[in-house]
């Protein structure tokens, strides 16, 4: 009988313990992380939904599962040790096994349950987080209290009969009370904010009277006067453990969430009140959010617009065209876009809007959509155009112009003022026009002038003035005052000419404002006007208009070698030859510098545009004689051939400029017609990105080594690193093509970092084996310079591979020094501190100041291969090479010539002082084993060696 009684008591204790475990797990379900309870035999007594879902048990982890089945053997043994030592709690990283057998690493906290509530060997486990490091608590807490404190949630219980409240320790912390405070329901109600108290009383009364669950938000006034926001939920338990009805529930501290919600509401109010149209599109082009201005503009309600594609909501309008045309640039490239569109209001009035597309990024820096901001800039653009036209007239007019402030001090003059008076702008700014006084007029003359100017606002007449050299001359002067919006005088403007200008004279202001003074061709202002005029009939008749942009190739080299006078004469000659090649009705203009524009109307097909381009190339290829110099020039052409139904002048110029840039990237001396990117461009780019990523991870890339050769000794002091790609679908992809593919796929940074890391690894291997490698040169792209922490990354690679930085050299294109001067200076100085050498490549293609070279830690210059390739047939290119070598020698900088093809070029370079070169004459890019054999002077090359070096190795 005693045995039966003991068995019943044991069963009762076990059932009680199991019920406690289940109740505790219900509480722990409020945690965002998982938790479970183990019994004395390490069986899972209960587990939260989060823990079960994490391990792949949708129906929950049952009691038949032992904890040692869920962890590695080592972790199971560690739990055994914990139980044996009798410690109260333990925090340790545990490797969990899911139902599918996958391993998950989590930081867990194990705590032994209090002996009065469950068997002493029972344990509660809480998943903290992945890779978290949690310091041990200052004082021991019950697992339930610790879980509630972690989640910011607390449970409570109210005896309906007495109003006495029982709660967890975290509940007291939320309400600002001491844990041992005796609290009643009425006292709790008094701590609720008066504005929320009635809602709380009604909810509690309904819960008690009608057993209706409640949930509401309220404010808590803590004893110290601070205010907290909380969310309370509860229900009536009709029979508790003692048989009395009780209210039970939880309270959640939402103070921080409430602050975030209020801030979000304020931001929404600001966005809604903005006159700009603002919207958010997802990656599929669907409208997810929009402010009132945007919805009003498209004539849609929020319910009908949100969730639908922009094309359906806005229709086939200019905004949709702009957005879908730039989806790839924003979503895949991550670049913002700013462009203007023309729209029509419901009353038919046209207006101009500036559209800004910003890529939206999530916390992981992934582009999730596009933020669209549209602003009406009609008046702004009109003002800009008027200002531009005024500025052109101001700068190009042959009449002298000076402007003074309200006190009569000169604030601005134009170039004609300096040409007529002999005073430079810096000499007259801040002074008064009286410095031009000839003293031939009486004081009463100037008194009458200023009286009329103040009374009528304008004065016009003839006046004698004095030039800087003392010469007295007669002016025709026109002075006008300028008033602000309140009628206050702000400036005076004077326009003068040396003599009266005839209405039919050749120096009309209008003529000078619209024609280039050097070539006498139309300038950009007149060309824009004619293009706009040509678009109207083109839209009506649906006939294409062709816009050609022409750039002289390497015109800067001609200016540098022959002088600016020869360069100016060459521009006039080119303009004349182009004028003779086209029809009289076609428009030819000099737009800027060495860029010309051509406008052709009535072009029917791309074939016709290509024929015109070939005719222009043929005309320019014939040699030109300029002041006794025979000059050969080539030209790059970008062509925009469009129906102009939706495009304006700026769009056509942008398309032609894009085509022109493509020609320059392909090596210049050619032409290309702009074409819209195909619909599948984004998909193709994504596919290319995936192929490149797979190639990087799968070892499909291989480094090649292009030797640098000492021209006198034949010794190899180093090599330039190149890369090629062994791709199953594309075949063997060479260095230049691979770089272009990486740039188009947005993988330049990843490829460049791989090349740098692989070069350091190979350098370490050769160093350990004693191979006389010399210096390895790695080219650095613009993306690596501007978007990557290059110096710290390289420092880590050098330290990890334990290599001598003196054997490494980074090469930067010369143009990067001018495009990103501050970043380039910082990176180059950082490399100098590391002991890594710096090479400037493509020398000669842009303007390089010796002062800049002296300030930067540059070890070597590499002359661009185009100049070497033209030797010895081109005296001009030879002169450029000589000048570059002389500059390098004067600054004590090494110089290397790239692209040497034959012995003639080699001997010329030696004679003019260039001691190092690289090119096909010596050796092509070699694989690592072949390059190594050449350095060690092993006679038999590997079977796959493309060619033996022609120079002996010393």
């Amino acid at each position: 009988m005693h045995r039966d009684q003991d068995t019943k008591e044991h069963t009762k204790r076990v059932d009680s313990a199991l019920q406690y475990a289940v109740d505790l797990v219900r509480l722990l379900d409020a945690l965002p992380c998982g938790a479970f309870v183990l019994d004395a035999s390490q069986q899972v007594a209960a587990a939260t939904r989060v823990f079960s879902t994490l391990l792949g048990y949708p129906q929950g982890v049952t009691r038949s599962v032992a904890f040692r089945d869920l962890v590695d053997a080592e972790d199971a043994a560690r739990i055994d040790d914990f139980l044996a030592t009798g410690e109260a709690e333990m925090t340790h990283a545990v490797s969990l096994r899911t139902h599918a057998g996958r391993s998950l690493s989590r930081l867990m906290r194990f705590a032994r349950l209090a002996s009065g509530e469950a068997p002493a060997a029972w344990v509660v486990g809480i998943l903290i987080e992945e890779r978290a490091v949690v310091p041990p608590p200052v004082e021991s807490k019950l697992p339930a209290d610790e879980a509630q404190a972690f989640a910011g949630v607390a449970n409570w219980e109210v005896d309906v009969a007495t109003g006495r409240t029982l709660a967890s320790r975290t509940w007291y912390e939320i309400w600002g009370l001491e844990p041992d405070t005796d609290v009643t329901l009425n006292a709790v109600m008094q701590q609720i904010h008066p504005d929320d108290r009635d809602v709380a009383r009604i909810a509690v009364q309904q819960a008690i009277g009608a057993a209706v669950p409640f949930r509401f938000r309220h404010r808590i006034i803590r004893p110290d006067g601070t205010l907290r926001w909380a969310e309370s939920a509860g229900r009536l338990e009709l029979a508790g453990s003692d048989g009395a009805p009780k209210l039970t529930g939880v309270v959640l501290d939402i103070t921080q969430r409430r602050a975030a919600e209020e801030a979000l509401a304020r931001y929404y109010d600001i966005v809604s009140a903005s006159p700009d149209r603002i919207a958010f599109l997802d990656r599929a082009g669907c409208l997810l959010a929009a402010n009132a201005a945007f919805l009003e503009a498209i004539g849609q309600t929020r319910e009908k617009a949100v969730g639908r594609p922009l094309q359906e909501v806005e229709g086939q309008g200019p905004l949709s065209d702009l957005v879908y045309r730039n989806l790839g640039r924003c979503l895949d490239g991550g670049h913002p876009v700013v462009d203007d569109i023309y729209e029509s209001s419901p009353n038919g009035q046209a207006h101009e809007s500036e559209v800004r597309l910003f890529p939206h990024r999530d916390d992981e820096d992934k582009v999730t959509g596009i933020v669209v901001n549209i602003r009406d800039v009609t008046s702004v653009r009109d003002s800009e155009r008027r200002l531009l036209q005024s500025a052109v007239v101001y700068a190009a007019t042959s009449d002298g112009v000076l402007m003074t402030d309200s006190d009569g001090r000169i604030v601005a003059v134009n170039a004609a003022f300096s040409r007529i008076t002999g005073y430079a702008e810096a000499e007259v700014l801040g002074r008064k026009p009286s410095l031009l006084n000839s003293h031939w007029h009486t004081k009463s003359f100037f008194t009458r002038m200023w009286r009329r100017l103040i009374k009528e606002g304008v004065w016009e007449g003839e006046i004698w003035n004095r030039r800087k050299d003392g010469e007295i001359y007669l002016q025709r002067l026109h002075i006008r005052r300028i008033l602000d919006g309140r009628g206050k005088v702000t400036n005076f403007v004077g326009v003068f000419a040396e003599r009266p200008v005839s209405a039919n004279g050749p120096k009309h202001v209008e003529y000078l404002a619209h024609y280039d003074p050097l070539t006498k061709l139309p300038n950009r202002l007149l060309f824009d006007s004619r293009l706009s005029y040509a678009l109207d009939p083109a839209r009506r008749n649906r006939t294409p208009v062709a816009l050609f942009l022409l750039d002289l190739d390497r015109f800067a080299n001609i200016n540098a070698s022959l002088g600016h006078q020869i360069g100016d004469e060459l521009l006039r000659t080119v303009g004349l030859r182009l004028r003779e090649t086209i029809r009289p009705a076609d428009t030819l203009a000099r737009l800027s510098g060495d860029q010309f524009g051509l406008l052709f109307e009535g072009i029917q097909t791309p074939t016709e545009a290509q024929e015109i381009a070939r005719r222009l190339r043929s005309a320019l290829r014939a040699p030109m004689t300029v002041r006794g110099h025979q000059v050969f020039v080539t030209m790059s052409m970008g062509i925009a051939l469009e129906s102009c139904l939706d495009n304006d002048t700026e769009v056509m110029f942008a398309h032609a400029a894009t085509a022109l840039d493509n020609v320059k990237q392909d090596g210049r001396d050619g032409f290309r017609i702009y074409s819209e990117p195909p619909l599948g461009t984004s998909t193709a780019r994504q596919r290319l990105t995936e192929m490149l990523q797979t190639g990087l991870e799968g070892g499909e890339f291989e480094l090649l080594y292009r030797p640098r050769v000492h021209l006198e000794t034949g010794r190899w002091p180093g090599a330039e690193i190149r890369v090629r790609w062994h791709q199953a679908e594309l075949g063997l992809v060479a260095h230049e093509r691979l770089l272009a593919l990486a740039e188009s796929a947005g993988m330049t940074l990843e490829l460049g970092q791989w090349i740098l890391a692989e070069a350091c690894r190979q350098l370490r291997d050769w160093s350990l084996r004693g191979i006389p490698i010399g210096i390895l040169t790695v080219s650095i792209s613009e993306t690596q310079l501007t978007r990557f922490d290059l110096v710290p990354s390289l420092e880590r690679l050098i330290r990890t591979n334990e290599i001598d930085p003196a054997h490494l050299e980074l090469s930067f294109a010369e143009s990067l020094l001018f495009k990103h001067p501050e970043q380039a200076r910082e990176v180059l100085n950082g490399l100098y501190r590391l002991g890594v050498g710096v090479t400037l490549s493509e020398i000669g293609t842009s303007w390089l100041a010796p002062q800049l070279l002296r300030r930067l830690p540059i070890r070597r210059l590499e002359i661009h291969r185009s100049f070497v390739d033209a030797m010895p047939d081109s005296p001009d290119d030879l002169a450029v090479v000589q000048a570059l070598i002389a500059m390098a020698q004067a600054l004590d900088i090494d110089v290397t010539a790239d692209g040497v093809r034959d012995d003639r070029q080699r001997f010329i370079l030696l004679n003019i002082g260039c001691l190092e070169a690289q090119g096909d004459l010596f050796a092509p890019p070699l694989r690592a084993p072949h390059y190594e054999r050449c350095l060690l002077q092993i006679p038999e090359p590997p079977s796959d060696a493309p060619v033996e070096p022609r120079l002996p190795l010393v």
Side-chain angles (χ1 to χ4, degrees):
M1 180 156 182
H2 289 291
R3 182 177 301 173
D4 292 340
Q5 184 177 357
D6 292 341
T7 302
K8 290 180 181 180
E9 290 178 357
H10 175 74
T11 302
K12 184 177 181 180
R13 287 196 302 271
V14 171
D15 292 341
S16 175
L18 287 175
Q19 183 61 41
Y20 176 83
V22 173
D23 292 341
L24 180 59
V25 166
R26 288 176 181 172
L27 173 62
L28 294 177
D29 263 333
L31 286 171
C33 51
F36 57 87
V37 176
L38 303 180
D39 61 17
S41 60
Q42 293 195 41
Q43 296 290 124
V44 178
T48 64
R49 290 188 300 273
V50 174
F51 180 80
S52 300
T53 303
L54 178 67
L55 295 189
Y57 292 86
Q59 304 302 322
V61 180
T62 62
R63 294 203 67 238
S64 61
V65 179
F67 185 70
R68 66 177 59 256
D69 297 331
L70 303 178
V71 296
D72 291 343
E74 182 180 353
D75 294 325
R78 189 175 291 111
I79 302 302
D80 290 334
D81 295 341
F82 166 66
L83 295 175
T85 58
E87 294 177 356
E89 57 185 23
M90 175 185 72
T91 300
H92 203 282
V94 175
S95 180
L96 298 170
R97 287 200 299 271
T98 66
H99 189 267
R102 189 165 57 92
S103 178
L104 295 175
S105 179
R106 291 293 188 274
L107 192 66
M108 299 184 60
R109 176 169 294 172
F110 299 92
R112 195 188 307 273
L113 293 177
S115 58
E117 299 167 338
W122 284 42
V123 173
V124 63
I126 300 176
L127 299 179
I128 305 300
E129 64 180 43
E130 187 174 5
R131 297 186 306 274
V133 179
V134 180
V138 178
E139 57 178 313
S140 177
K141 297 181 181 178
L142 288 176
D145 285 328
E146 184 177 359
Q148 292 182 7
F150 186 84
V153 64
N155 64 320
W156 51 264
E157 180 181 288
V158 177
D159 190 306
V160 174
T162 63
R164 188 170 182 272
T165 301
L166 300 176
S168 64
R169 183 179 302 177
T170 304
W171 185 91
Y172 287 93
E173 294 175 359
I174 293 175
W175 289 79
L177 302 173
E178 294 296 329
D180 55 354
T181 304
D182 190 10
V183 182
T184 64
L185 179 61
N186 289 333
V188 170
M189 286 293 180
Q190 291 302 315
Q191 277 195 243
I192 297 179
H193 193 279
D195 294 343
D196 306 329
R197 197 172 295 157
D198 290 342
V199 176
R201 290 187 186 278
I202 292 173
V204 171
Q205 290 171 2
Q206 290 179 345
I208 296 174
V212 178
F214 61 83
R215 178 186 294 271
F216 60 90
R217 289 186 176 187
H218 59 90
R219 284 159 288 183
I220 298 173
I221 304 176
R222 292 155 61 100
D224 60 2
T226 59
L227 196 68
R228 308 286 292 181
W229 272 94
E231 182 173 346
S232 291
R235 64 179 181 177
L236 182 67
E237 295 287 347
L238 295 180
S241 58
D242 56 359
K246 297 181 181 180
L247 282 175
T248 62
V250 294
V251 62
L252 178 65
D253 189 337
I254 60 170
T255 305
Q256 294 183 352
R257 187 201 305 175
R258 180 72 181 185
E261 291 173 351
E262 291 176 350
L264 187 61
R266 288 195 296 270
Y267 295 146
Y268 180 79
D269 292 340
I270 294 172
V271 172
S272 298
S274 172
D276 291 357
R277 290 176 277 165
I278 303 174
F280 177 71
L281 307 176
D282 63 11
R283 292 187 65 88
C286 291
L287 184 69
L288 297 187
N291 69 346
F294 187 94
L295 295 172
E296 181 181 354
I298 62 177
Q300 298 279 0
T301 62
R302 192 180 309 277
E303 292 75 15
K304 293 182 178 180
V306 172
R308 295 171 56 197
L310 179 64
Q311 282 185 332
E312 295 182 8
V313 175
E314 197 249 353
Q316 294 292 335
L319 176 60
S320 296
D321 292 342
L322 175 63
V323 170
Y324 283 91
R325 190 169 61 247
N326 291 282
L327 278 180
R329 177 174 174 80
C330 282
L331 296 178
D332 298 330
H335 302 294
V337 174
V338 181
D339 205 346
D340 287 357
I341 60 174
Y342 289 90
E343 300 175 300
S344 297
S345 57
N347 59 7
Q349 184 178 2
H351 60 275
E352 193 171 358
S353 299
E354 181 185 75
V355 181
R356 294 176 177 266
L357 308 178
F358 301 98
H360 178 269
R361 300 178 182 273
D362 59 13
D363 295 337
E364 298 179 357
D365 202 35
K366 294 181 180 178
V367 178
T368 60
I370 299 175
V371 178
V372 182
N373 183 278
I374 309 169
R375 176 172 297 177
D376 191 330
V377 293
T378 305
S379 59
V380 175
R381 293 293 183 265
D382 289 342
S383 299
E384 289 176 352
R385 282 188 281 270
R386 286 194 296 271
L387 287 174
L388 177 62
Q389 293 169 356
S390 301
V392 171
V393 173
Y394 173 78
T397 180
S398 62
D399 289 351
V401 180
L402 81 160
M403 180 182 294
T404 72
D405 58 17
S406 57
D407 295 328
R409 297 190 180 277
I410 299 174
V411 294
V413 298
N414 69 343
F417 173 93
S418 300
R419 178 178 55 80
I420 295 173
T421 65
Y423 287 98
E425 182 180 24
E427 295 178 292
V428 299
L429 292 181
R431 303 177 67 178
K432 293 194 173 184
S434 58
L435 68 95
L436 305 174
N437 193 350
S438 65
H439 301 290
W440 282 25
H441 297 280
T442 62
K443 185 178 294 185
S444 60
F445 173 86
F446 293 103
T447 302
R448 290 193 302 270
M449 174 196 294
W450 281 103
R451 282 178 179 174
R452 179 174 294 182
L453 186 60
I454 294 174
K455 182 179 180 180
E456 301 178 6
V458 63
W459 182 90
E460 185 174 3
E462 292 186 348
I463 185 174
W464 291 95
N465 268 339
R466 184 188 300 271
R467 305 185 202 272
K468 183 179 180 180
D469 60 6
E471 178 187 354
I472 306 298
Y473 66 101
L474 181 64
Q475 283 185 357
R476 182 70 183 177
L477 178 62
H478 181 98
I479 306 177
R480 183 177 294 273
R481 71 182 180 190
I482 300 176
L483 305 178
D484 61 13
R486 292 170 292 186
K488 182 180 179 181
V489 177
T490 59
N491 299 95
F492 294 96
V493 177
V495 180
F496 61 90
E498 294 187 58
R499 52 188 177 276
V501 178
S502 171
N504 299 319
K507 293 186 178 180
H508 266 145
V509 172
E510 182 181 357
Y511 177 87
L512 294 177
H514 291 88
Y515 286 84
D516 172 53
L518 177 64
T519 61
K520 311 306 179 189
L521 296 173
N523 60 14
R524 175 65 183 267
L525 185 64
L526 181 55
F527 190 79
D528 283 350
S529 176
R530 291 187 180 180
L531 179 58
S532 299
Y533 182 81
L535 292 182
D536 291 332
R539 292 190 182 100
R540 291 194 301 270
N541 302 328
R542 296 181 177 272
T543 56
V545 170
L547 170 62
F548 284 57
L549 289 184
L550 295 77
D551 270 6
L552 288 177
D553 295 334
R554 300 185 181 88
F555 180 73
N557 296 340
I558 297 175
N559 269 341
S561 58
L562 300 180
H564 289 280
Q565 292 182 344
I566 301 297
D568 291 346
E569 187 65 26
L570 176 62
L571 290 175
R572 285 190 287 266
T573 304
V574 169
L576 180 61
R577 186 165 293 186
L578 291 173
R579 181 72 265 178
E580 293 172 346
T581 307
I582 63 178
R583 301 171 301 184
D586 301 327
T587 298
L588 169 66
R590 183 189 176 211
L591 304 181
S592 63
D594 62 337
Q595 186 176 88
F596 294 84
L598 280 164
L599 175 62
F600 299 93
E601 298 180 53
I603 302 297
Q604 298 297 329
T605 62
T607 303
E608 190 175 350
Q610 292 172 358
E611 183 59 33
I612 294 173
R614 294 189 184 97
R615 191 163 64 246
L616 294 173
R617 287 184 67 191
S618 178
L620 290 176
R621 281 183 171 178
M624 302 180 190
T625 302
V626 181
R627 295 193 180 185
H629 296 270
Q630 193 174 45
V631 182
F632 295 84
V633 297
T634 59
M635 185 167 280
S636 302
M637 285 177 277
I639 306 170
L641 179 63
E642 305 173 31
S643 61
C644 308
L645 294 176
D646 299 316
N647 293 338
D648 57 7
T649 58
E650 294 299 324
V651 172
M652 288 197 70
F653 264 104
H655 290 175
T658 300
L660 179 61
D661 290 340
N662 291 335
V663 174
K664 292 181 177 179
Q665 291 175 7
D666 290 343
R668 300 184 174 90
D669 190 19
F671 64 89
R672 179 169 296 182
I673 299 177
Y674 175 84
S675 60
E676 290 286 350
L679 294 177
T681 297
S682 297
T683 304
R685 179 178 298 175
Q686 182 64 29
R687 171 61 178 152
L688 178 59
T689 302
E690 292 173 358
M691 291 170 63
L692 286 168
Q693 189 66 46
T694 302
L696 286 175
E697 296 172 357
E700 297 176 2
F701 295 90
E702 179 185 27
L703 293 188
L704 300 177
Y705 302 85
R706 189 173 182 233
R708 281 200 331 271
V709 178
H710 194 279
L711 295 181
E712 288 184 337
T713 64
R715 182 175 54 85
W716 289 6
E720 177 190 17
I721 290 181
R722 302 169 73 85
V723 63
R724 66 182 178 184
W725 185 16
H726 299 268
Q727 216 284 328
E729 298 179 22
L730 303 178
L732 189 61
V733 181
H735 179 80
E736 288 77 13
R737 185 186 175 204
L738 174 57
L739 295 184
L741 291 176
E743 182 176 1
S744 64
M747 291 283 293
T748 304
L749 186 61
E750 291 82 356
L751 178 61
Q753 184 63 6
W754 180 88
I755 294 173
L756 196 58
E758 191 66 12
C760 291
R761 186 201 62 77
Q762 183 64 68
L763 186 59
R764 177 178 182 272
D765 177 65
W766 279 335
S767 298
L768 292 176
R769 294 163 53 201
I771 306 296
I773 49 180
I775 297 176
L776 296 184
T777 304
V778 181
S779 296
I780 299 300
S781 66
E782 181 179 1
T783 307
Q784 287 175 276
L785 175 66
T786 58
R787 294 177 52 196
F788 187 71
D789 208 355
L790 182 61
V791 175
S793 174
L794 181 60
E795 184 177 8
R796 288 192 295 270
L797 287 173
I798 292 174
R799 186 172 57 252
T800 302
N801 291 280
E802 299 178 349
I803 59 176
D804 184 358
H807 289 296
L808 189 62
E809 197 173 73
L810 299 191
S811 175
F812 298 84
E814 176 190 3
S815 58
L816 296 182
L817 295 185
F818 309 102
K819 194 172 182 181
H820 309 286
E822 296 299 327
Q823 291 170 295
R825 183 179 298 108
E826 181 180 353
V827 170
L828 265 59
N829 288 332
L831 295 176
Y832 177 76
R833 290 191 294 270
L834 289 180
V836 176
V838 174
T839 292
L840 278 189
S841 61
E842 301 180 3
I843 295 296
T845 57
S846 60
W847 184 79
L848 184 63
Q851 297 93 327
L852 182 62
L853 292 177
R854 292 190 65 88
R855 291 197 299 268
L856 296 176
I858 296 172
R859 176 189 292 173
R860 191 165 55 87
L861 303 179
E862 182 180 298
I863 301 174
H864 194 271
R865 63 182 305 118
S866 61
F867 297 99
V868 179
D869 188 68
M871 296 191 316
D873 301 322
S874 173
D876 299 330
D877 289 322
L878 178 58
V880 173
V881 174
Q882 287 178 309
L884 293 174
I885 293 173
M887 178 182 67
Q889 291 174 340
L891 298 175
D892 196 23
I893 299 176
D894 296 333
V895 63
T896 300
D898 187 20
V900 176
R901 294 178 289 104
D902 53 43
D903 286 322
R904 291 191 306 164
Q905 294 173 341
R906 174 195 174 197
F907 294 136
I908 290 174
L909 291 171
L910 268 174
N911 289 333
I912 60 179
C914 180
L915 300 181
E916 283 188 3
Q918 58 189 21
D920 294 338
L921 174 65
F922 313 113
L926 305 173
R927 296 178 64 248
H930 189 198
Y931 182 73
E932 180 181 328
R933 284 179 172 273
C934 292
L935 291 177
L936 296 176
Q937 299 184 1
I938 299 176
E940 57 273 15
S943 59
D944 60 343
V947 68
E948 281 289 326
R950 293 183 54 187
L951 290 181
L953 304 177
V954 178

